[in-house]
Amino acid sequence: MSELVLGLETSCDETAAAVITREGEVLSNVISSQAELHARYGGVVPEVASRRHLELVEPVVSEALSEAGVALGDVDAVGVTQGPGLVGALLVGLSYAKGLCWGSGRRLVPVDHLQGHVASLFLGPDPLEPPFLCLLASGGHTLLGLAHEHASFEVVGGTLDDAAGEAFDKGARLLGLGYPGGPALDRLAVEGDPAAYAFPIARVDGLDFSFSGVKTALLYAARELSEAELDEARADLAASYQRAIVNALLRRIEQAVEETGMKTVAVVGGVAANSALRAGLEALGARAAPLALCTDNGAMIASAARYAPDVGKADYLAVDAYPSR
Ligand code: KG4
Ligand code: ZN
């Protein structure tokens, strides 16, 4: 049998585990979302997330192994998210992986969450080969990177304020769409007119992003409306707001291609699941990560672990979770 890698992800509100082969075939990809648990608070509550990870980590790993039809002993290495993310949440996965590896003699491979998102592109059935230009757009990060090789990327642009996913979530909240807002806004936008409102795209130097202006513009537009008018305009607002964010991302990609001369372009992270962005990328001849691998998952962490060094038992104590890069 080919060597197998188990991936474990607990950086935010998804407890996720997956088994892949070294060649990049996904054998199982189990994701237990805590979204419903956090919905009543309108966002992720870190302490609640940690406690839930603690309950879920063992059953989710077991399910990933059994769905893949393998035992822990068949696994060669365990990749686990070390950061960035919520430290308490990360520590649950990291400690669990350490125990698992210590007890079973598997190799422990700490993985950077952002590198994990990029590595979602290296999985089958149609893996991408570096070099390429990569936009990572998630709830916590928005950055443009040059992936010269599998194990790392060079950051050439970032966000000055909110991440793109955060902008989607905050916009959705303003429109009363609940949490998590990105997918809900995407669904509602289908029914609206994206040209109904002319929301601004920030003018920022270089290859950086800014989403605070468009967010404020949505707030002002919504504030003008009575409850009944807002009900009437909600889909148009969603579609117009989504268009502004998506256009900002697409423009930056085009500019980055021009400036870097990089011919291959790919987008990863939760926002890569957005239908309008995916349509825009297709028109540009760029790729988006496979839909199932956009939002946080264990397969992308296992994928990145294939290109990262493992840690010997003597160094376990020095491997700590980190909140930001
Ligand atoms: O990558 P991810 O699962 O977690 C982080 O690493 O942050 O990304 C989650 C983000 C959330 O902000 C969520 O609203 C956004 O991705 N998202 C979307 C869509 N699906 C998820 N945003 C817009 N449209 C979507 N279809
Ligand atoms: Zn993520």
Side-chain angles (χ1 to χ4, degrees), residues 113 117 138 296 300:
H113 183 80
H117 275 298
S138 68
D296 292 347
M300 71 184 202

Side-chain angles (χ1 to χ4, degrees), residues 10-325:
T10 66
S11 70
C12 191
D13 63 342
E14 260 97 32
T15 318
V19 178
I20 70 165
T21 67
R22 282 241 159 237
E23 291 71 38
E25 188 193 346
V26 180
L27 302 185
S28 66
N29 193 22
V30 177
I31 303 169
S32 176
S33 174
Q34 310 178 1
E36 268 176 42
L37 186 65
H38 299 283
R40 74 181 105 153
Y41 307 109
V44 180
V45 183
E47 179 59 21
V48 173
S50 308
R51 286 165 192 264
R52 193 74 181 126
H53 282 306
L54 209 50
E55 291 167 357
L56 289 172
V57 64
E58 205 278 323
V60 165
V61 166
S62 295
E63 197 176 324
L65 289 169
S66 75
E67 254 186 40
V70 301
L72 183 61
D74 302 322
V75 169
D76 162 55
V78 178
V80 60
T81 309
Q82 185 181 7
L86 304 169
V87 167
L90 288 162
L91 279 174
V92 174
L94 195 55
S95 311
Y96 184 84
K98 283 181 185 177
L100 204 61
C101 290
W102 188 288
S104 65
R106 307 300 97 188
R107 294 191 301 114
L108 177 73
V109 186
V111 170
D112 181 86
H113 183 80
L114 306 187
Q115 194 59 47
H117 275 298
V118 176
S120 66
L121 297 165
F122 306 145
L123 291 166
D126 186 19
L128 188 65
E129 282 300 311
F132 55 87
L133 173 80
C134 188
L135 169 69
L136 191 168
S138 68
H141 297 86
T142 295
L143 50 87
L144 273 167
L146 300 178
H148 301 291
E149 38 122 10
H150 287 102
S152 68
F153 58 88
E154 175 195 347
V155 177
V156 294
T159 179
L160 303 179
D161 37 63
D162 290 344
E166 204 178 350
F168 269 108
D169 293 336
K170 287 178 176 171
R173 192 172 179 167
L174 264 167
L175 294 174
L177 301 180
Y179 170 88
L185 197 141
D186 188 352
R187 280 192 299 275
L188 180 63
V190 175
E191 300 161 26
D193 174 7
Y197 294 83
F199 289 131
I201 293 177
R203 287 165 204 250
V204 182
D205 285 346
L207 292 173
D208 289 334
F209 301 89
S210 167
F211 297 104
S212 60
V214 65
K215 196 181 63 189
T216 309
L218 175 66
L219 172 69
Y220 287 164
R223 224 166 47 179
E224 299 275 296
L225 306 174
S226 69
E227 199 58 44
E229 286 169 332
L230 180 59
D231 279 344
E232 199 54 28
R234 193 171 273 117
D236 285 347
L237 285 165
S240 305
Y241 184 71
Q242 173 172 279
R243 174 188 263 188
I245 295 176
V246 166
N247 281 349
L249 296 173
L250 293 173
R251 265 194 212 175
R252 271 300 191 245
I253 288 175
E254 284 178 306
Q255 190 189 341
V257 166
E258 236 176 75
E259 287 182 17
T260 63
M262 205 66 104
K263 300 235 165 15
T264 310
V265 181
V267 182
V268 299
V271 176
N274 183 265
S275 59
L277 179 60
R278 293 180 87 85
L281 289 171
E282 205 178 322
L284 283 185
R287 344 198 329 175
L291 205 50
L293 301 176
C294 290
T295 47
D296 292 347
N297 63 85
M300 71 184 202
I301 302 303
S303 178
R306 295 179 294 157
Y307 309 101
D310 62 334
V311 174
K313 278 185 181 173
D315 295 319
Y316 274 22
L317 274 180
V319 178
D320 203 0
Y322 53 90
S324 58
R325 264 191 157 193

